[in-house]
Amino acid sequence: MIDFLFYSSHVSENFYPFGPNNGDTVNPAVDDGSSSVILLNETFQFFGSDHNQLYVNNNGFLTFDQAVSSSYPSMFRSGYDIIAPLWSNWNNAKSGVISYRQVTSGGDLQQATSDINQYFPQLNFTATWVFIATWDNVAFYNMDTETSFQVVLISNGNLSFVLLNYGRISYVISNLQAGFVTADSMIYFNILEQTLSTDLTFSSNINDRGRWVFQLNLNYTKGPFYPFGTNNGDTQQFWNYYYYYYYYYYYYSSYYSQRWTNNFPFFGGKYYQTSVYGNGLLSLGSNLLYYYSATIPTYSVNNIIAPFWMNINSLQRGVSSFREVTSGSILQQATSDINHYFPELNFNATWVFIATWNWLEYQPAMDNDTMFQVVLVSDGNMSFVMMNYGNLAPTSENVQVGYDSLNSSNYFSMAESFQGNITDLSFTSNVNTSGRWVFRTDYCLNDCLFQENFYPYGPSNGDTVNPSVDDGSSSAIPLINTFPYFGNAYNQLYVKNMGLLTFDQSVSSSYPYLYTSYVAIAPLWSYWNNAKSGVISYRQVTSGSDLQRATSDINQYFPQLNFVATWVFIATWDSVAFNNMDTETSFQVVLISNGGQSFVLFNYGRISDLLSNTQVQAGYSSGDSAHYYNILWSTSVTGLTLSKNVNVSGRWVFQTSFSCVKAYKVFLRVHVTSKGLQLNPKDPQLIQTMIENLLSGVSLGDTCSS
């Protein structure tokens, strides 16, 4: 008999008393309307935010900052703190009554106290404030339907709760949500991803049908997190699989690039930018070559910090937020943390970057979210990575945790990576703080300068140092032996600070343009500034170990020549700054000749990540458009460190003497003729088309060695 009465009634016996007869204020009967602002008698805590006012919106939800008229439910990414007992297109102008009241004494407080102590018996709770809003027999849209539900906010000044009560729910409802969300969407729960709307009358999370109860003052992050979210100044990026199924892979592999004001030292490099990926990692400098989680070490050009790198193909939605900090309490907290973990360093943080991920609902349930954070900390010289972990939902996907530097010269992979479900990170640590792992990342455990292929350089090896002048140059350097270069023989050259050699004084621009304008050899032409930092030096030799090494190198790359070097010229740009930035880039050019044949070696060490977004060229030009090659046709500038055309990483080698040019022209003529064209060396457009279409990715050295 009781069940029959429950089914036939439009409200549940769990409803608190409501309506004008119980002292309620009635909302205006206006489609998409709202109450006026309601000033609260007590502050209400909502996941870290304290609210002193709220609005009862006719479409079935509460907001705190302003009234919201939307009838289309969109809690996630709404930008508001929202409590939605049942958000849809309700129309009290058609039928039904929406009313509310707040109380600080009487029977409602007694009922609220009893309810909370029943559901949370460990709290010994006493309610001091209750707010009740009820939608009684409201119509959906313009249809003759009736739906009833209620929201009850309860507080004692410190603890806060919400009760969602459901009566009869119309079966014609579409597009609705029930639950709550914070303004930054970092905390979000939708009951209707766990039950059907028409089942709300009988569903529950506390074994009391028709009622759902949540504590709202709790810190659901459950980990040693630094402050995050839009309330703390974060920039946000959303990842939404549930609503954008067909665009899932776009969202999954998306990233947001962040340019920093300070550099972050990372195993020999200094990086000014990062990309924050939705699937749980950062890349420093260049963007990832792949998005699916890979096993560390990757032996790639990428610098990776992976707090929880996963293929998130079971994700419904998620959000990441991040910010850069250069002053304030965060620096104090970081300084304290690092000195606690590394007491011998006397560290003082000057820069922090915080990125936080919240992946929501592998399966829809309140605690089935995954939250983690990475904090980069630096003083300009030393650097540290903190990985903080909150709740980690179970997943069957492969997860990679750790970090990886350029070519995996220095890396760390958590032992459990790719070996099963990593959910214990919330409770483990390497610094005796549960849920936190900390690593120092500025020093090199292994070689991380990538200069092992460089010829000896610097004043200690007899080099002459270029003037420390922006856009400067050496004076004319008389060559001991002439250098054959594409049919000409040169007796002097200049070492230009901006990253190239010329044989006359014509080039002074830091804007690179090799093609037809200059006779030049450019290991890396850009806006280098040795007045800021770094050393540019050179020497030429006609005897000794440099000749022996050059002879060995050329015979290795061109074994048919039986070559013996008689002259070598070496110019090196060591840790030079780009523009006025605190960056370091190193590269070298080596000219080798025996008087008749000539070769150019380009050696590349670390390349600043800032070059990925600027004008730069690497290669050579004869000045007449006949002989021109740009290495960056076939590799990115930040990839030069590991790129090659002679099976030695970071090295490119070209033969530049006339005998090679003849073979080169014959090679081209065969291909051009096969296309029904004629080679006209005076037609620069044809030459350019020929080079780009026929020889893209093929070095001159490759052609001449065949």
Side-chain angles (χ1 to χ4, degrees):
M1 186 64 177
I2 294 176
D3 283 345
F4 174 78
L5 290 175
F6 177 74
Y7 291 135
S8 63
S9 175
H10 69 278
V11 298
S12 164
E13 66 268 23
N14 287 330
F15 275 43
Y16 280 48
F18 64 89
N21 292 338
N22 288 285
D24 283 10
T25 299
V26 176
N27 259 25
V30 177
D31 190 22
D32 296 338
S34 171
S35 70
S36 57
V37 61
I38 303 167
L39 301 180
L40 305 184
N41 295 329
E42 287 191 8
T43 299
F44 185 73
Q45 296 183 26
F46 185 75
F47 297 115
S49 296
D50 292 337
H51 294 291
N52 296 300
Q53 64 178 33
L54 61 74
Y55 297 82
V56 177
N57 299 289
N58 287 359
N59 284 319
F61 59 104
L62 308 181
T63 52
F64 297 94
D65 296 323
Q66 65 181 59
V68 177
S69 62
S70 174
S71 61
Y72 186 87
S74 55
M75 288 196 299
F76 189 70
R77 300 183 64 176
S78 67
Y80 302 106
D81 286 344
I82 291 175
I83 299 174
L86 198 59
W87 185 355
S88 192
N89 189 9
W90 306 116
N91 186 1
N92 63 334
K94 170 72 174 175
S95 64
V97 174
I98 302 170
S99 64
Y100 61 87
R101 73 180 181 278
Q102 59 179 322
V103 296
T104 55
S105 63
D108 292 324
L109 290 191
Q110 295 173 12
Q111 181 176 349
T113 297
S114 174
D115 285 340
I116 297 304
N117 283 313
Q118 176 185 349
Y119 307 135
F120 303 89
Q122 75 282 5
L123 295 181
N124 192 25
F125 179 82
T126 301
T128 59
W129 175 86
V130 171
F131 182 90
I132 305 164
T134 309
W135 286 254
D136 180 34
N137 286 334
V138 290
F140 174 73
Y141 191 50
N142 286 315
M143 305 185 71
D144 188 17
T145 63
E146 295 180 351
T147 292
S148 297
F149 54 92
Q150 183 182 75
V151 58
V152 182
L153 308 185
I154 302 172
S155 174
N156 69 354
N158 295 308
L159 306 179
S160 58
F161 303 85
V162 62
L163 279 64
L164 305 178
N165 296 322
Y166 297 97
R168 182 179 293 279
I169 307 298
S170 171
Y171 70 92
V172 298
I173 303 171
S174 61
N175 293 327
L176 46 77
Q177 289 184 349
F180 50 83
V181 67
T182 56
D184 57 10
S185 294
M186 294 298 282
I187 297 174
Y188 165 82
F189 184 70
N190 184 2
I191 297 173
L192 298 182
E193 288 167 2
Q194 186 159 328
T195 188
L196 297 175
S197 62
T198 52
D199 290 339
L200 286 172
T201 307
F202 314 105
S203 65
S204 177
N205 68 337
I206 41 87
N207 200 31
D208 194 350
R209 62 185 181 181
R211 173 171 287 178
W212 290 70
V213 183
F214 304 94
Q215 188 171 352
L216 301 181
N217 63 288
L218 291 178
N219 177 12
Y220 277 104
T221 58
K222 300 179 182 177
F225 289 87
Y226 277 48
F228 62 88
T230 55
N231 290 341
N232 289 289
D234 282 10
T235 298
Q236 284 192 310
Q237 185 81 349
F238 292 92
W239 325 98
N240 196 327
Y241 166 57
Y242 184 78
Y243 288 113
Y244 297 95
Y245 178 82
Y246 294 106
Y247 299 97
Y248 162 65
Y249 286 105
Y250 168 77
Y251 280 89
Y252 157 66
S253 62
S254 291
Y255 60 88
Y256 188 96
S257 292
Q258 171 80 18
R259 179 76 172 266
W260 294 326
T261 57
N262 292 14
N263 71 74
F264 181 70
F266 190 73
F267 296 116
K270 293 183 177 181
Y271 297 93
Y272 273 90
Q273 57 191 13
T274 186
S275 294
V276 181
Y277 290 82
N279 53 329
L281 75 157
L282 307 178
S283 67
L284 305 180
S286 59
N287 294 328
L288 290 182
L289 299 177
Y290 40 78
Y291 299 112
Y292 286 92
S293 56
T295 303
I296 292 175
T298 63
Y299 297 103
S300 71
V301 298
N302 296 120
N303 294 277
I304 296 167
I305 298 172
F308 208 76
W309 186 7
M310 189 178 79
N311 300 333
I312 49 178
N313 57 12
S314 58
L315 177 68
Q316 286 195 332
R317 58 176 59 82
V319 58
S320 62
S321 69
F322 44 88
R323 75 182 183 279
E324 181 182 15
V325 181
T326 57
S327 63
S329 60
I330 294 297
L331 292 190
Q332 297 171 10
Q333 181 178 350
T335 296
S336 175
D337 285 340
I338 296 303
N339 283 314
H340 177 66
Y341 304 136
F342 302 88
E344 73 282 2
L345 295 181
N346 192 26
F347 178 79
N348 185 34
T350 58
W351 178 90
V352 169
F353 180 79
I354 304 167
T356 309
W357 289 259
N358 189 14
W359 295 342
L360 302 162
E361 305 166 23
Y362 297 132
Q363 300 172 1
M366 187 59 202
D367 286 330
N368 269 12
D369 63 339
T370 287
M371 184 170 287
F372 54 93
Q373 181 183 77
V374 63
V375 182
L376 310 186
V377 183
S378 176
D379 66 354
N381 296 305
M382 292 183 283
S383 66
F384 303 85
V385 171
M386 294 187 196
M387 298 179 183
N388 298 323
Y389 298 95
N391 189 68
L392 299 177
T395 174
S396 60
E397 298 292 337
N398 289 324
V399 178
Q400 174 65 70
V401 177
Y403 58 78
D404 198 13
S405 65
L406 180 65
N407 202 33
S408 298
S409 61
N410 295 270
Y411 65 87
F412 171 79
S413 179
M414 196 71 72
E416 295 85 356
S417 295
F418 274 83
Q419 295 182 11
N421 196 359
I422 302 181
T423 57
D424 62 349
L425 290 172
S426 303
F427 314 103
T428 61
S429 177
N430 66 341
V431 291
N432 201 31
T433 300
S434 292
R436 173 171 289 173
W437 289 71
V438 184
F439 308 92
R440 184 174 176 182
T441 56
D442 56 277
Y443 58 91
C444 299
L445 297 176
N446 303 304
D447 177 74
C448 57
L449 297 178
F450 299 96
Q451 295 182 8
E452 60 267 24
N453 291 325
F454 279 36
Y455 280 50
Y457 64 89
S460 61
N461 287 287
D463 282 12
T464 299
V465 176
N466 259 25
S468 296
V469 178
D470 191 20
D471 292 341
S473 172
S474 70
S475 56
I477 304 168
L479 303 184
I480 299 172
N481 293 355
T482 59
F483 182 69
Y485 187 68
F486 296 120
N488 293 306
Y490 293 98
N491 296 304
Q492 68 173 22
L493 60 74
Y494 296 82
V495 177
K496 301 290 186 176
N497 287 0
M498 67 281 295
L500 73 157
L501 308 180
T502 61
F503 298 99
D504 56 44
Q505 189 61 32
S506 60
V507 181
S508 60
S509 172
S510 59
Y511 184 88
Y513 187 67
L514 275 173
Y515 178 46
T516 60
S517 302
Y518 307 112
V519 179
I521 298 171
L524 199 59
W525 186 358
S526 192
Y527 188 10
W528 306 116
N529 185 2
N530 63 334
K532 169 71 174 176
S533 64
V535 175
I536 302 169
S537 63
Y538 61 88
R539 74 180 181 277
Q540 57 180 321
V541 296
T542 56
S543 63
S545 59
D546 290 326
L547 289 191
Q548 296 172 12
R549 181 172 180 178
T551 296
S552 174
D553 284 341
I554 297 305
N555 283 311
Q556 177 185 352
Y557 308 136
F558 303 89
Q560 76 281 7
L561 295 182
N562 193 25
F563 179 82
V564 177
T566 59
W567 175 87
V568 170
F569 184 90
I570 305 164
T572 308
W573 287 254
D574 180 33
S575 299
V576 290
F578 174 74
N579 200 341
N580 287 314
M581 309 290 287
D582 185 18
T583 64
E584 295 179 354
T585 292
S586 297
F587 54 93
Q588 183 182 75
V589 59
V590 182
L591 310 186
I592 302 171
S593 175
N594 65 358
Q597 296 167 307
S598 65
F599 303 85
V600 172
L601 277 66
F602 293 146
N603 295 321
Y604 296 100
R606 281 196 171 271
I607 308 298
S608 169
D609 62 315
L610 292 178
L611 266 69
S612 60
N613 298 314
T614 191
Q615 292 290 333
V616 61
Q617 287 191 351
Y620 57 79
S621 174
S622 62
D624 58 4
S625 77
H627 313 295
Y628 164 70
Y629 187 76
N630 186 356
I631 294 173
L632 299 181
W633 282 339
S634 55
T635 188
S636 67
V637 61
T638 53
L640 285 171
T641 305
L642 301 183
S643 67
K644 58 193 175 184
N645 71 339
V646 291
N647 201 31
V648 176
S649 293
R651 174 169 289 179
W652 289 71
V653 184
F654 305 94
Q655 187 172 357
T656 55
S657 48
F658 190 74
S659 60
C660 175
V661 176
K662 291 181 179 179
Y664 180 52
K665 288 184 176 179
V666 170
F667 178 84
L668 293 179
R669 185 174 291 114
V670 169
H671 283 74
V672 173
T673 302
S674 70
K675 291 180 177 291
L677 302 173
Q678 290 185 344
L679 177 62
N680 179 4
K682 296 183 179 181
D683 183 353
Q685 183 61 45
L686 177 59
I687 293 292
Q688 178 69 6
T689 302
M690 174 183 65
I691 292 173
E692 292 180 352
N693 293 340
L694 297 180
L695 288 185
S696 178
V698 179
S699 75
L700 193 56
D702 292 333
T703 303
C704 295
S705 63
S706 59

